[in-house]
Amino acid sequence: INNSMYFSNLAAGTVKVLDCSTNIVTTTIAVAVGVVNFITYNSINNSIYVSSVSFDSVYVIDCNTNSLVGSPISVGNIPQQMAFNSFNNTLYVCNSNSDSISLIDCNTNTVSDTIALPIDYLYPYSILYNNIANSILFSCRYSGNISDCYCFNIDCSNNSIIGLPFFTGAGARGSAFNSTSNSVYICN
């Protein structure tokens, strides 16, 4: 983004902007008092979205001005990782303690829908967008054995969970999608 890297400073409630040509932090953006967790880039509106577990909200930073825009967007309890779908300009937010996924319409920066996890599944955490299948993949825990993690798919054409979950192992915390090989990588 503008040859810059944005990263959250967890406990300080800030996002720092690093100039990649000089490797110097050029800007510190005060987001919220408390914990800011994860950030995601929206390539359509050139904005950074920041989840705040302290206020159960998502904040928006305009990358042209490196400043906050609008009001915080209220989502579910303890928002974690987020995934941006460039096809429908929607941000999908894992709400760990609400056992749900909030959908933010990035045209209006408002919550347009909330998807509840199936019964017996909780704490969604890791999430990614598959641009080949136009789907969201997220990991969560199983209540029968809290250390077991499973992944679900969301069909982005109707925002519904499709198919059966698949077991990923214990503690799935991060994931990435490779569009060249149509493969998903999950860290346990």
Side-chain angles (χ1 to χ4, degrees):
I1 310 164
N2 308 328
N3 199 29
S4 297
M5 181 183 296
Y6 291 72
F7 56 97
S8 63
N9 189 352
L10 187 68
T14 62
V15 170
K16 295 193 181 278
V17 184
L18 177 80
D19 181 329
C20 293
S21 62
T22 63
N23 289 328
I24 295 173
V25 173
T26 58
T27 307
T28 300
I29 304 163
V31 177
V33 176
V35 176
V36 293
N37 226 8
F38 295 97
I39 61 176
T40 300
Y41 177 63
N42 177 330
S43 57
I44 294 175
N45 66 13
N46 195 32
S47 295
I48 294 288
Y49 288 76
V50 184
S51 65
S52 169
V53 299
S54 297
F55 295 100
D56 299 332
S57 298
V58 173
Y59 294 79
V60 184
I61 297 172
D62 180 336
C63 293
N64 295 311
T65 62
N66 286 331
S67 60
L68 290 171
V69 293
S71 299
I73 305 163
S74 294
V75 291
N77 191 251
I78 312 291
Q80 297 287 339
Q81 292 184 23
M82 303 169 286
F84 174 65
N85 178 337
S86 56
F87 183 76
N88 64 12
N89 199 23
T90 300
L91 188 72
Y92 294 74
V93 183
C94 288
N95 302 309
S96 284
N97 282 11
S98 297
D99 302 332
S100 65
I101 309 289
S102 291
L103 283 64
I104 296 176
D105 177 342
C106 295
N107 295 307
T108 60
N109 286 330
T110 58
V111 174
S112 60
D113 199 0
T114 301
I115 301 170
L117 268 60
I119 293 173
D120 293 331
Y121 293 92
L122 20 117
Y123 309 126
Y125 186 84
S126 179
I127 190 166
L128 62 81
Y129 174 60
N130 176 336
N131 63 324
I132 294 174
N134 190 32
S135 66
I136 293 288
L137 181 77
F138 69 90
S139 67
C140 60
R141 299 194 181 257
Y142 174 62
S143 64
N145 183 351
I146 200 68
S147 66
D148 286 350
C149 288
Y150 288 81
C151 282
F152 284 90
N153 274 299
I154 297 173
D155 179 347
C156 294
S157 67
N158 59 17
N159 290 318
S160 63
I161 294 175
I162 56 172
L164 297 173
F166 60 90
F167 180 69
T168 63
R173 301 293 286 173
S175 55
F177 176 68
N178 179 336
S179 59
T180 304
S181 64
N182 194 22
S183 301
V184 172
Y185 299 84
I186 300 170
C187 295
N188 286 348

